[in-house]
């Protein structure tokens, strides 16, 4: 049965908000600790559906993962110790999980079939399987989509690969496949995308270097053939989840919300830069390193925003934040232009089309093109009153629940189950700081 939520106009949002653990880092912690030598304790793991699907896939491949208190304990099987799963690996809605695991399997002498939910089954996989085939893996796909079967090699070929788009998923799949290759695996992406895989590989003792080239490209060089050595991981709180709370506090009148210990990896902070440029009252304090990742406490107060041009070069550092940025833009004076964002069309949904249609249904002025979306804001209340189908996309669902907080008429969002992929208890937690989201 499909679940719906209704978000009502909100007077103010105040208090502390603990956002859940980082989804990207949580996936990587399950995968890398499982192939390390020794025991890893992971603290702060996101217990969302996506990460749980990756955890289960690693268990299905022979990893030993247990919960102990709030932490997870992983007894790694070593680089060649995984076993072929008896059944297809079902990654549900998790694009990161499925793509990283295809890479992992390509570098093991094992075969695995990958399946997923309706949304994941529509997403392009050739961007991953093409480089994996160059590395020697045998791959079959359903016309470039799931189900995909990957048969890997014990010693894959090292590649030098330049994906057309800056994508952490493509880069990470190639790096995971190259872990046992003899020699250097080199990935050059047009701009730097989030580099959590690089950081966590170094944390486990693998030689990985990163360079920004003269033309702005990012080159990663990893030397294969090193065993990963277990080392505990502290997962920071997810800046992409914090984004919904931050925008909600900025656009809801009389709000003042503090979000402690949110990840501040520079490849993830594009939204904060954009919101501050728009006039958002956002202060960062207590900046520190926790478990090797930068974190800070974020304080956000209601602000009158104004439109900006978001530069395309910033896209990779806020790729998941455009849906909620378009909600912020709907309350800003003037126009916010988001360009160079064609990748949004191949996320959990076509996020340009789904956001534009939903915003229009709520009375917002939006224009879309192949690789851009522009939103012209208004300071009179948004009409709202629409019913939005999130189409199995957690970030679409949460974005419209935030818009409902400033709409004259409540906004209903259907099919909200997938919010659990990244942000368990989103509605209850928002309601604790003053939102009025009802079922
Ligand atoms: C992710 C990478 C991003 C992002 C996704 C998580 C990751 O995709 O959209 O939600 O953890 O590697 P791309 O960088 O592949 O576009």
């Amino acid at each position: 049965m499909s679940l719906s939520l209704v978000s009502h106009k909100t007077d103010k949002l105040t208090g502390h908000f603990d956002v859940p653990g980082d989804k990207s880092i949580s996936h990587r912690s399950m995968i890398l600790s499982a192939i390390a030598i020794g025991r890893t304790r992971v603290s702060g793991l996101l217990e969302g559906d996506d990460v749980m699907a990756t955890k289960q896939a690693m268990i299905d491949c022979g990893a030993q993962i247990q919960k102990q208190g709030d932490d997870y304990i992983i007894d790694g099987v070593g680089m060649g110790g995984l076993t072929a799963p008896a059944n297809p690996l079902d990654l549900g809605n998790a694009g990161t999980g499925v793509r990283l695991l295809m890479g992992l399997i390509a570098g093991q002498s094992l075969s695995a079939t990958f399946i997923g939910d309706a949304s994941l089954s529509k997403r392009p996989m050739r961007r991953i399987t093409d480089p994996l085939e160059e590395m020697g893996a045998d791959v079959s796909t359903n016309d470039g989509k799931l189900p995909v079967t990957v048969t890997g090699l014990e010693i894959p070929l090292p590649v030098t690969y330049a994906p057309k788009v800056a994508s952490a998923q493509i880069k990470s799949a190639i790096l995971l496949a190259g872990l046992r290759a003899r020699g250097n695996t080199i990935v050059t992406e047009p701009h730097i995308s989030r580099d959590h895989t690089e950081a966590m590989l170094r944390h486990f003792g693998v030689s990985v270097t990163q360079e920004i080239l003269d033309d702005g490209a990012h080159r990663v060089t990893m030397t294969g053939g090193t065993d990963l050595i277990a080392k505990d991981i502290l997962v920071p709180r997810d800046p992409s989840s914090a984004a919904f709370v931050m925008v909600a506090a900025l656009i809801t009148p009389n709000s003042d919300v503090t979000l402690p210990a949110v990840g501040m990896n520079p490849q993830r902070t594009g939204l904060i830069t954009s919101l501050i440029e728009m006039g958002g009252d956002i202060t960062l304090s207590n900046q520190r390193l926790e478990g090797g990742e930068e974190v800070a406490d974020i304080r956000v107060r209601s602000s009158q925003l104004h439109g900006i041009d978001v530069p395309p070069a910033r896209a990779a550092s806020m790729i998941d934040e455009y849906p909620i940025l378009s909600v912020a833009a709907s309350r800003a004076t003037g126009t916010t232009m988001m360009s160079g964002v064609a990748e949004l069309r191949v996320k959990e949904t076509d996020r340009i089309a789904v956001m534009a249609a939903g915003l229009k249904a709520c009375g917002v002025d939006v224009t879309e093109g192949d690789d851009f979306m522009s939103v012209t804001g208004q300071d009179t209340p948004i009409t709202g009153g629409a019913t939005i189908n999130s189409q199995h996309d957690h970030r679409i669902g949460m974005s419209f629940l935030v818009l409902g907080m400033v709409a004259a008429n409540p906004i209903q969002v259907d099919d909200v189950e997938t919010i659990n992929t990244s942000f368990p208890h989103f509605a209850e937690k928002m309601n604790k700081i003053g939102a009025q989201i009802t079922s």
Side-chain angles (χ1 to χ4, degrees), residues 23-24 28 96 100 166-170 172 193-194 319-320 343 347 395:
K23 182 151 79 74
S24 294
R28 288 156 172 81
T96 305
L100 269 55
S167 157
Q169 295 176 350
I170 302 176
S172 302
S193 64
R194 64 190 69 188
I319 193 65
D320 292 334
E343 274 297 293
K347 293 294 177 187
R395 300 198 200 278

Side-chain angles (χ1 to χ4, degrees), residues 22-25 27-28 50 95-97 99-100 123 127-128 165-172 189 193-194 196-197 240 268 316 318-320 343-344 346-348 351 394-395:
D22 189 282
K23 182 151 79 74
S24 294
I25 296 175
H27 280 296
R28 288 156 172 81
D50 276 13
T96 305
R99 290 174 167 147
L100 269 55
R123 298 182 66 184
R127 48 176 55 203
I128 305 293
V165 290
S167 157
Q169 295 176 350
I170 302 176
K171 173 176 64 178
S172 302
E189 47 182 358
S193 64
R194 64 190 69 188
H196 303 302
T197 302
S240 298
R268 301 290 299 283
M318 53 176 292
I319 193 65
D320 292 334
E343 274 297 293
L344 296 184
V346 291
K347 293 294 177 187
E348 283 83 333
R351 285 183 173 160
H394 51 137
R395 300 198 200 278

Side-chain angles (χ1 to χ4, degrees), residues 58-208:
M58 295 312 298
I59 291 171
D60 292 348
C61 292
Q64 289 178 38
I65 306 178
Q66 296 156 45
K67 193 159 183 196
Q68 196 178 84
D70 290 338
D71 297 344
Y72 283 82
I73 305 292
I74 300 94
D75 286 306
V77 295
M79 199 94 90
L82 295 176
T83 50
N87 296 305
L89 300 174
D90 186 350
L91 272 301
N93 195 253
T96 305
V98 83
R99 290 174 167 147
L100 269 55
L101 289 174
M102 285 181 196
L104 179 73
I105 295 296
Q108 310 280 324
S109 54
L110 306 175
S111 201
T113 297
F114 296 89
I115 57 173
D117 73 1
S119 153
L120 191 57
S121 302
K122 286 189 202 136
R123 298 182 66 184
M125 296 298 158
R126 283 226 164 89
R127 48 176 55 203
I128 305 293
T129 58
D130 283 352
L132 299 183
E133 283 181 304
E134 270 191 37
M135 299 174 85
D138 187 47
V139 177
S140 74
T141 74
N142 171 26
D143 200 17
K145 310 246 164 74
L146 296 183
V148 169
T149 300
V150 178
T151 304
L153 291 178
E154 188 174 337
I155 313 278
L157 302 169
V159 280
T160 295
Y161 199 83
K164 287 194 201 70
V165 290
S167 157
Q169 295 176 350
I170 302 176
K171 173 176 64 178
S172 302
I174 298 168
L175 294 175
L176 292 175
L179 278 172
R180 302 169 84 194
R182 297 212 170 100
N184 288 341
T185 295
I186 302 171
V187 184
T188 306
E189 47 182 358
H191 300 285
I192 184 166
S193 64
R194 64 190 69 188
D195 57 357
H196 303 302
T197 302
E198 293 91 312
M200 203 179 286
L201 284 170
R202 283 194 289 268
H203 180 76
F204 281 110
V206 179
S207 161
V208 181

Side-chain angles (χ1 to χ4, degrees), residues 161-425:
Y161 199 83
K164 287 194 201 70
V165 290
S167 157
Q169 295 176 350
I170 302 176
K171 173 176 64 178
S172 302
I174 298 168
L175 294 175
L176 292 175
L179 278 172
R180 302 169 84 194
R182 297 212 170 100
N184 288 341
T185 295
I186 302 171
V187 184
T188 306
E189 47 182 358
H191 300 285
I192 184 166
S193 64
R194 64 190 69 188
D195 57 357
H196 303 302
T197 302
E198 293 91 312
M200 203 179 286
L201 284 170
R202 283 194 289 268
H203 180 76
F204 281 110
V206 179
S207 161
V208 181
T209 59
Q210 296 176 241
E211 301 155 83
I212 303 293
L213 307 181
D214 289 345
D215 61 357
H218 174 228
R219 181 162 66 202
V220 183
T221 304
M222 180 189 74
T223 307
T226 312
D227 283 325
L228 277 66
I229 306 300
K231 201 168 173 197
D232 292 350
I233 295 172
L234 180 55
V235 180
R237 298 180 190 277
D238 197 325
S240 298
S241 295
F244 298 97
V245 187
M246 290 173 64
V247 170
L250 283 175
I251 64 177
T252 303
N254 310 311
S255 297
D256 186 348
V257 177
T258 300
L259 301 95
V262 179
M264 284 290 132
N265 180 308
Q267 271 64 62
R268 301 290 299 283
T269 50
L271 177 78
I272 295 182
T273 307
S274 300
L275 292 173
I276 291 174
E277 272 178 27
M278 292 170 83
D281 182 350
I282 298 174
T283 46
L284 304 180
S285 61
N286 204 6
Q287 277 160 290
R288 57 210 186 264
L289 277 181
E290 272 187 7
E293 286 274 351
E294 288 172 47
V295 300
D297 302 339
I298 307 176
R299 181 172 183 191
V300 187
R301 283 173 275 198
S302 321
S303 307
Q304 177 55 60
L305 303 176
H306 56 82
I308 58 165
D309 285 354
V310 184
R314 197 180 287 160
S317 68
M318 53 176 292
I319 193 65
D320 292 334
E321 279 68 83
Y322 284 95
I324 192 62
L325 180 66
S326 67
V327 169
S330 75
R331 299 299 293 152
T333 54
T335 299
T336 297
M337 169 57 95
M338 296 161 261
S339 51
V341 293
E343 274 297 293
L344 296 184
R345 294 203 179 272
V346 291
K347 293 294 177 187
E348 283 83 333
T349 51
D350 175 342
R351 285 183 173 160
I352 295 180
V354 177
M355 279 313 296
L359 287 170
K360 276 183 200 155
C362 293
V364 179
D365 180 0
V366 192
T367 315
E368 62 165 303
D370 287 349
D371 73 341
F372 77 88
M373 173 163 55
S374 99
V375 175
T376 302
Q378 59 191 68
D379 49 19
T380 50
I382 305 285
T383 314
T387 297
I388 309 290
N389 191 304
S390 73
Q391 299 190 28
H392 306 287
D393 187 329
H394 51 137
R395 300 198 200 278
I396 299 287
M398 288 185 278
S399 294
F400 282 102
L401 291 173
V402 171
L403 188 66
M405 296 174 199
V406 293
N409 304 292
I411 295 179
Q412 173 168 333
V413 187
D414 292 345
D415 273 354
V416 290
E417 293 82 350
T418 50
I419 291 177
N420 280 334
T421 60
S422 65
F423 207 142
H425 314 298

